[in-house]
Amino acid sequence: MLIRQSAFPPPPEVRGLIGALWVFGFGVMVLGAAPALDVAVTARFALLAVSGAALSVGLWVLAARFRGRGAVLPVAVLCIGVLVALAVQVGADLVSASLAARLFDANVVQSLVVSSRPSAALIMRLIAETGVILYIGLFGVFAISASSLLSLIETRERDRLLVEARAAADRAQLAALRLQLSPHFLFNTLNAIGALVTTGRAVEAEAMIDRLSDVLRASLAPGMDSLVPLADELAVTRAYLDIEAVRFRDRMTVDYDCPAELDRALTPGFLLQPLVENAVKYAVAPALRPTRIRVSARREGDELVLAIEDDGPGEGRPSASGTGLGLRNVRERLGLLFGARGRLEAGPSGPGFRVEARQPLAFAPEPVA
């Protein structure tokens, strides 16, 4: 399928090669007939060049369709094709010469070679009265060049398909990484809602359900790993932390330091949720005292830096290399989306823990008024 798609029309480089070869051939024919050149002869040579170009296109289609079917068959088919094209071109030359002589009284080379061997006489006549040597050279050069171009085009197409396959695999991996996080969060939240209901805290349970719907709507939205404005990502993060605030009541305080100028900065959707979930799990949940979580965003040169910091206890934290599920998944997502420019830095910060997600800074378009 790959080869047939590139067979016809020929790609630009093949069209350029055919054009250059047969413009050259036309020039050689004109120069060879220069002493007796007239309009009829020039028109005849132009038609022969067009005929040669059309036959070259046919050779390309033939070579392309048989490419990749073993080592011998494509070469054999191309050689037979060149012989057929050469015979057709020589026949067109002889016919056009005869018509030019009859219709326009054009000067046409006539062979004076006489030989007792018919085969030798035919060959000498063809050489003397047609451009058979020129045609052999042009078709031969085209056949060799076409083989090289086919290999080049196939390599380029394989590279393109490989890039597409890797992109598809990356998208699938991104989706899998994100879906690993959602069930864990959902399980904890539903448990908390159940606890609120059984203890008669229906209003708080209803508020938690509303926030849960906001978070799930964001996590299940189409194109879930596309880039979203930071303001939207912060809204989802705030909804998640509001859910956790219902669970922990006075034991958790959240500060936000995100300048409005970065509201349109683009970031992967649902990136911050696993980071703040880690802060809740390792800082807020085990602490007996109130714990503060700080969510911040800043610009450093051409980078966007998103940070989650807490002052909770450091025991049991994932290592700074990000071996915990949440940190590992975020690190892998950043790497898949941004390459070396997407990275996660995590480690102790004072009495607590700090995680920074770094990525290239880009902004969403201004909304149309």
Side-chain angles (χ1 to χ4, degrees):
M1 182 177 67
L2 169 63
I3 297 173
R4 290 181 181 179
Q5 287 177 342
S6 62
F8 188 84
E13 52 266 56
V14 176
R15 295 198 296 269
L17 172 65
I18 292 173
L21 284 176
W22 288 100
V23 166
F24 172 78
F26 173 75
V28 171
M29 288 186 282
V30 168
L31 289 175
L37 195 64
D38 57 23
V39 175
V41 173
T42 303
R44 171 176 168 250
F45 290 157
L47 289 174
L48 288 173
V50 171
S51 171
L55 290 169
S56 297
V57 171
L59 284 175
W60 168 259
V61 173
L62 186 68
R65 289 191 180 279
F66 281 89
R67 185 72 177 179
R69 301 186 183 181
V72 178
L73 182 61
V75 175
V77 169
L78 187 58
C79 291
I80 293 172
V82 168
L83 293 177
V84 172
L86 181 61
V88 172
Q89 184 71 5
V90 170
D93 194 328
L94 292 172
V95 171
S96 64
S98 177
L99 290 175
R102 292 179 183 179
L103 299 178
F104 303 103
D105 195 25
N107 294 320
V108 178
V109 175
Q110 296 294 325
S111 173
L112 300 177
V113 177
V114 177
S115 173
S116 59
R117 297 171 55 194
S119 59
L122 176 62
I123 292 172
M124 292 179 181
R125 181 189 170 195
L126 290 176
I127 293 174
E129 298 184 9
T130 71
V132 64
I133 301 299
L134 175 64
Y135 303 149
I136 291 174
L138 292 177
F139 283 126
V141 169
F142 177 75
I144 295 171
S145 301
S147 297
S148 300
L149 284 172
L150 270 173
S151 298
L152 177 63
I153 291 170
E154 286 181 342
T155 300
R156 188 170 60 196
E157 187 68 6
R158 279 195 300 269
D159 291 342
R160 182 186 67 81
L161 292 176
L162 181 60
V163 169
E164 290 181 357
R166 286 176 176 170
D170 287 349
R171 288 193 296 270
Q173 186 175 354
L174 284 168
L177 289 173
R178 185 162 177 182
L179 290 174
Q180 284 177 359
L181 299 171
S182 298
H184 175 66
F185 159 66
L186 184 59
F187 176 78
N188 285 344
T189 304
L190 291 177
N191 272 349
I193 292 173
L196 291 174
V197 171
T198 57
T199 56
R201 297 160 62 185
V203 174
E204 292 172 290
E206 184 178 351
M208 185 177 276
I209 291 172
D210 289 340
R211 296 293 183 270
L212 177 61
S213 66
D214 293 338
V215 175
L216 291 180
R217 187 181 303 111
S219 67
L220 300 176
M224 60 183 180
D225 279 293
S226 59
L227 302 182
V228 300
L230 179 59
D232 294 348
E233 176 66 5
L234 289 173
V236 175
T237 304
R238 191 184 297 270
Y240 170 80
L241 288 173
D242 286 346
I243 292 173
E244 299 294 17
V246 175
R247 290 177 58 200
F248 295 104
R249 308 186 75 176
D250 298 334
R251 291 171 52 197
M252 184 178 78
T253 303
V254 182
D255 295 331
Y256 295 91
D257 182 14
C258 305
E261 64 192 42
L262 294 177
D263 281 351
R264 291 188 300 104
L266 293 173
T267 188
F270 224 58
L271 183 78
L272 293 178
Q273 186 274 333
L275 302 182
V276 294
E277 183 177 2
N278 262 1
V280 171
K281 177 180 179 181
Y282 292 104
V284 179
L288 299 178
R289 60 174 175 80
T291 303
R292 184 175 298 275
I293 296 176
R294 184 171 180 267
V295 180
S296 64
R298 71 181 188 275
R299 176 177 187 168
E300 284 191 6
D302 61 350
E303 286 188 334
L304 173 66
V305 183
L306 304 177
I308 307 296
E309 187 174 6
D310 65 74
D311 60 358
E315 294 84 1
R317 294 293 184 108
S319 68
S321 61
T323 55
L325 175 64
L327 297 184
R328 184 177 68 248
N329 284 359
V330 172
R331 188 188 302 277
E332 290 182 12
R333 286 183 67 197
L334 289 171
L336 288 170
L337 289 168
F338 304 113
R341 297 197 63 192
R343 55 197 189 277
L344 188 75
E345 300 169 359
S349 176
F353 200 77
R354 179 180 177 86
V355 181
E356 284 190 350
R358 293 176 175 267
Q359 59 194 274
L361 179 63
F363 289 91
E366 290 278 3
V368 179

